């Protein structure tokens, strides 16, 4: 599934971010960057997709 997100991030950056992080701040940033220029949107989307799974979401430790 990660390969599909990477392809989506390259072809349509907001879609790749939406599939990875859902609707929210990162999705809005990807939309704005894509409107300003396609390459900044792709760079942000790839960065968002690639950092997912590297501890981007922290889970609380039960005491």
């Amino acid at each position: 599934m990660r390969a599909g997100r990477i392809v989506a991030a390259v072809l349509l950056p907001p879609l790749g971010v939406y599939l990875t992080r859902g609707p929210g701040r990162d999705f809005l940033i990807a939309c704005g960057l894509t409107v300003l220029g396609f390459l900044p949107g792709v760079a942000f989307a790839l960065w968002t997709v690639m950092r997912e799974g590297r501890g981007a979401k922290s889970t609380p430790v039960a005491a």
Side-chain angles (χ1 to χ4, degrees):
M1 184 67 177
R2 188 170 182 185
R5 291 178 185 167
I6 292 172
V7 170
V10 171
L11 297 178
L12 190 61
L15 178 62
V17 174
Y18 181 82
L19 292 174
T20 302
R21 305 283 292 176
R25 183 188 60 182
D26 288 336
F27 175 71
L28 293 175
I29 292 171
C31 288
L33 287 173
T34 302
V35 168
L36 291 175
F38 185 72
L39 290 180
V42 170
F44 178 76
L46 284 174
W47 179 67
T48 302
V49 170
M50 296 304 254
R51 77 179 167 146
E52 189 68 29
R54 289 184 146 198
K57 292 183 180 178
S58 61
T59 56
V61 177

